[in-house]
Amino acid sequence: MPGITREEVAHLARLARLELQDEELDHFAGQLDDIIGAVARVSEVADQDVPPTSHPLPLTNVMRQDEVRPSLAPEQALSGAPAQEQQRFKVPQILGEE
């Protein structure tokens, strides 16, 4: 498989709206070659009987049961607020909307 050329790297950089120097084009061309080679090796190893996965080990969510616990009363939560209104923190208007 032929390697990535400087022109291809420059084209990708233009698409990504990146400005690269000449020495960066050479550097990234080599790095992209390495990446493409690594992906090709993985593709060779993967077989039809190996299902695609996003993680090497199965993941499960660990969720706790919802239970009511004691919490702050509105007066306690708002006790240090500089301003409050209708049991809520009152903040300055920033968008000019009602």
Side-chain angles (χ1 to χ4, degrees), residues 8-61:
E8 290 171 320
V9 175
H11 178 68
L12 290 172
R14 276 192 303 279
L15 292 175
R17 296 185 175 151
L18 298 173
E19 185 178 332
L20 299 178
Q21 305 300 319
D22 287 337
E23 60 273 1
E24 291 175 311
L25 292 174
D26 293 327
H27 180 73
F28 290 137
Q31 286 185 335
L32 286 172
D33 262 345
D34 293 342
I35 292 168
I36 290 171
V39 170
R41 283 192 302 275
V42 169
S43 297
E44 291 170 3
V45 173
D47 200 19
Q48 278 74 13
D49 62 338
V50 178
T53 59
S54 61
H55 298 283
L57 301 173
L59 297 176
T60 57
N61 287 334

